[in-house]
Amino acid sequence: MDMAPRKLAAGNWKMNGSLAALAEIDSLLGGDEPDCEVLICPPATLIHPMVARIAGGWIAVGGQDCHARDSGAHTGDVSAPQLVDVGADYVIVGHSERRTDHAEDDASVAAKAVAAHEAGLTSVICVGETEAQRDGDQTLKVIARQLAGSVPDCATADNTVIAYEPVWAIGTGRTPTTEQIAEVHAAMRQALVTRFGDGDAFRLLYGGSVKPGNAAEIFAIPHVDGALVGGASLMAADFGPIISALNAAD
Ligand code: 13P
């Protein structure tokens, strides 16, 4: 790939939002179409209505998780082909809340990513250290282990996005220093280049308390190709300026 990867502003609505929240989509679409790519991953109940509301506009829609199997007796789960069926293009896998709440390990995350790729989805694979791991100087080791175990061999820059989300920065209003983010992103880039022929083209997102007020500073960090945004993606008044900041970044 001779072009820089297209930057990605991704919103993760988590377990928030009802049909009324789709008005936020109207607000975003009312602005100018950015050069960067924009993705929203709403709860499963809103994927189809959101796709219908966007009606071919410039926002892509994704799931927040998928099962490793295509169908079967797995009450409460959603499969990758089912996400495709209702118009999703992406799926988040391995979010720290899934790893914690549902005891997902690296192998199950990798299996979900394989299922996503086979269905034609782009996976957003999440990694990140806990506060105790950072305090114990284990961050780079943990990230390397999670990347090795969670990113499957079939990953390419076209079907996979990596999101670095320090667990202690999610929903806390705390963010790593720019030096800390730069260190992890450079290490992730190096690991991907070592393992994959197109490792330099994978998009690397930062996630964890990204807000309109800190977005520009984060997007200026080398190897940060966008953000995975939780709370600040729920309202167009917050997510819109984050998209603009990414669009304005070099
Ligand atoms: P916050 O932006 O709310 O910290 O959430 C980050 C996140 O977990 C996105 O997946």
Side-chain angles (χ1 to χ4, degrees), residues 129 134 139-140 143 164-166 168-169 174-189 204-210 214-215 217-226:
E129 82 285 3
R134 176 158 287 278
T139 298
L140 293 184
I143 300 303
Y164 168 53
E165 299 205 307
W168 53 274
R174 298 165 58 206
T175 53
T177 63
T178 54
E179 290 77 15
Q180 288 171 328
I181 296 174
E183 180 184 42
V184 172
H185 277 242
M188 295 199 301
R189 178 69 73 207
L204 307 182
L205 310 184
Y206 168 77
S209 296
V210 176
N214 62 18
E217 188 183 358
I218 290 169
F219 295 148
I221 299 170
H223 302 297
V224 173
D225 304 308

Side-chain angles (χ1 to χ4, degrees), residues 11 37 42 69 85 95 130 151 157 167 184 188 202:
E37 199 171 346
R69 295 189 185 277
D85 185 47
H95 192 282
T130 64
V151 180
V167 176
V184 172
M188 295 199 301
F202 279 61

Side-chain angles (χ1 to χ4, degrees), residues 124-145:
V124 180
I125 302 176
C126 302
V127 297
E129 82 285 3
T130 64
E131 186 156 31
Q133 289 166 334
R134 176 158 287 278
D135 290 345
D137 225 4
Q138 297 297 303
T139 298
L140 293 184
K141 200 179 286 184
V142 168
I143 300 303
R145 191 180 66 223

Side-chain angles (χ1 to χ4, degrees), residues 12 14 95 97 165 169-171 207-211 228-231:
N12 174 9
K14 309 192 178 184
H95 192 282
E97 288 150 15
E165 299 205 307
I170 294 175
S209 296
V210 176
K211 308 288 179 203
L228 182 55
V229 185

